[in-house]
Amino acid sequence: MKLHTFFIVLTIFTATFSRIEPSFAQTDPVPPPLSMDEDLLQSKMKEVSKTLRCAVCQSESIWESNATLAIQMRDIIRERLIAGETPNEIRAYFVSRYGDYIVFKPRFRGINMLLWGGPFILLAIGAVVLSRSLRKWTLQKDEVPPEPLAPIDEKQRERIEEELRSLK
Amino acid sequence: MTEFRTWHVFLLLGLFGLFALFYKGLWGDPTALPPVIIAEPAPEIVAPSLYGDKQIVLSEHRGKVVVLNFWASWCQECKLEHKFLLAINKRFEDNPNFVMYGVNYQDKDHLAKAYLDQHGNNFEHMVDLKGKISIDYGVYGVPETFIIDQDGIIRHKQIGPVLGDVFSDMVQNKIEPLLNKSAPL
């Protein structure tokens, strides 16, 4: 695989993931209505809360945590949903205050791109190294002429024929 | 052969990068948090004072250096830094371009007042109703201290108590340069 082919593969991976993981700046296609019923509100609250880390707990989302800070964050999510903000806008607010640490799923941006694309980059490098090694090995096998057989003397020939006769 | 050497360089760079990330992740300071709010405009604050006698509005102090300290009466480290905070305000209180506020965090009013009665007080405090101010400032816990410049931009965030070297650094290298407008932070 040539160098430019590798970069084409890398670009395809990058483009694919940028579609899977949109940035929080993007808005939801259908914003929630200003007055939503309680079930829908709870469902939206759960959706957002489950993606945000409780800043003072160990690996708990603010939906699961009963820490005061988590409860206060849930209240803010509720208020913002009622005000008509989308889940992505609310997540963007928390990221602007606490950084990427606050979201469980790192955004596809900056150094995080390495996290998302790293395994595929390593896989691509491995594939390139493997293909190069295999090609080199194959070419070496083709290029090396067969080793000429050493001539055998009369004594060896007689012994071989004797062995063959004994097999019959 | 040249292409092979290029790939060697790529591989070495990649491995070096991975090792650097692992090193940072495994041996770096796990308590270090990215200061995302630094150099951003300070979120507006409109909150009642602890003693309920007035409404504190941050934007009314535009043009001044504002020190904002988040604290609670149940916080042990807050007790340690309290005398240093009093010293900061005492040092700059005569400067008309300086103001200092305490933000009482996840606390009860009567406990906060008792704390101030016990440990002394020389600056104003506000109540963080429902945690809105602390979440707006990305506060993880107390104590945390912010320095806001004359243009309303957050210039420094101190996670943990302001004492010893941190106190000296904050006074000499953070607050004084801003008040003198002598050097960027």
Side-chain angles (χ1 to χ4, degrees), chain A residues 56 79 93 97-98 114 125, chain B residues 11 21 132 135-136 139-140:
Chain A
V56 292
E79 283 174 18
Y93 164 73
R97 278 9 186 196
Y98 289 93
L114 195 62
I125 290 173
Chain B
L11 274 174
L21 278 177
K132 280 188 178 171
I135 290 170
D136 242 0
V139 169
Y140 286 93

Side-chain angles (χ1 to χ4, degrees), chain A residues 3 6 55-56 68-69 72-73 76 79 93-94 97-99 101 114 125 132, chain B residues 3-4 7 10-11 18 21 36 43 106 130-132 134-136 138-140:
Chain A
L3 192 64
F6 167 70
V56 292
T68 309
L69 184 60
Q72 291 173 338
M73 284 178 164
I76 285 177
E79 283 174 18
Y93 164 73
F94 281 103
R97 278 9 186 196
Y98 289 93
Y101 171 81
L114 195 62
I125 290 173
R132 286 183 62 87
Chain B
E3 201 185 347
F4 188 70
W7 279 107
F10 268 105
L11 274 174
L18 278 177
L21 278 177
V36 283
Q106 295 181 7
K130 297 182 180 176
K132 280 188 178 171
S134 45
I135 290 170
D136 242 0
V139 169
Y140 286 93

Side-chain angles (χ1 to χ4, degrees), chain A:
Chain A
M1 189 188 287
K2 296 285 181 198
L3 192 64
H4 68 269
T5 317
F6 167 70
F7 280 113
I8 289 168
V9 171
L10 196 62
T11 310
I12 291 167
F13 274 125
T14 309
T16 309
F17 270 83
S18 62
R19 283 196 294 272
I20 290 170
E21 191 63 23
S23 79
F24 293 136
Q26 289 177 316
T27 53
D28 285 352
V30 183
L34 287 179
S35 57
M36 61 177 84
D37 66 55
E38 188 58 32
D39 287 347
L40 182 60
L41 189 62
Q42 283 292 324
S43 154
K44 289 260 179 197
M45 257 184 74
K46 187 176 179 181
E47 178 198 333
V48 180
S49 303
K50 274 184 159 295
T51 60
L52 296 172
R53 187 193 305 274
C54 169
V56 292
C57 320
Q58 293 281 333
S59 302
E60 261 187 320
S61 73
I62 61 170
W63 179 255
E64 293 148 349
S65 172
N66 283 321
T68 309
L69 184 60
I71 293 166
Q72 291 173 338
M73 284 178 164
R74 288 204 297 267
D75 289 343
I76 285 177
I77 292 170
R78 185 185 171 88
E79 283 174 18
R80 285 178 175 257
L81 282 170
I82 290 168
E85 285 191 28
T86 65
N88 279 341
E89 283 170 344
I90 296 168
R91 274 189 284 267
Y93 164 73
F94 281 103
V95 169
S96 74
R97 278 9 186 196
Y98 289 93
D100 282 336
Y101 171 81
I102 205 74
V103 283
F104 276 115
K105 193 188 277 186
R107 292 177 297 166
F108 189 74
R109 177 174 108 163
I111 191 76
N112 291 348
M113 286 171 76
L114 195 62
L115 201 62
W116 287 101
F120 296 103
I121 293 170
L122 288 176
L123 194 69
I125 290 173
V128 170
V129 171
L130 184 68
S131 74
R132 286 183 62 87
S133 305
L134 283 173
R135 196 172 58 178
K136 201 174 169 185
W137 179 62
T138 314
L139 284 173
Q140 271 179 351
K141 272 187 81 175
D142 290 347
E143 282 166 3
V144 176
E147 219 172 274
L149 296 172
I152 52 171
D153 56 24
E154 198 54 38
K155 197 175 171 187
Q156 284 174 318
R157 181 187 297 279
E158 278 174 13
R159 191 178 163 192
I160 290 168
E161 283 174 356
E162 195 179 314
E163 291 282 341
L164 286 171
R165 275 198 298 276
S166 70
L167 288 172
K168 287 179 184 173

Side-chain angles (χ1 to χ4, degrees), chain B residues 104-145:
Chain B
N104 190 228
Y105 172 89
Q106 295 181 7
D107 210 345
K108 289 187 167 64
D109 284 5
H110 69 281
L111 294 177
K113 286 173 187 170
Y115 171 96
L116 293 175
D117 287 344
Q118 186 187 346
H119 298 282
N121 183 31
N122 63 4
F123 58 98
E124 281 196 86
H125 300 268
M126 63 185 93
V127 182
D128 184 11
L129 295 170
K130 297 182 180 176
K132 280 188 178 171
I133 304 171
S134 45
I135 290 170
D136 242 0
Y137 278 77
V139 169
Y140 286 93
V142 283
E144 283 192 22
T145 305

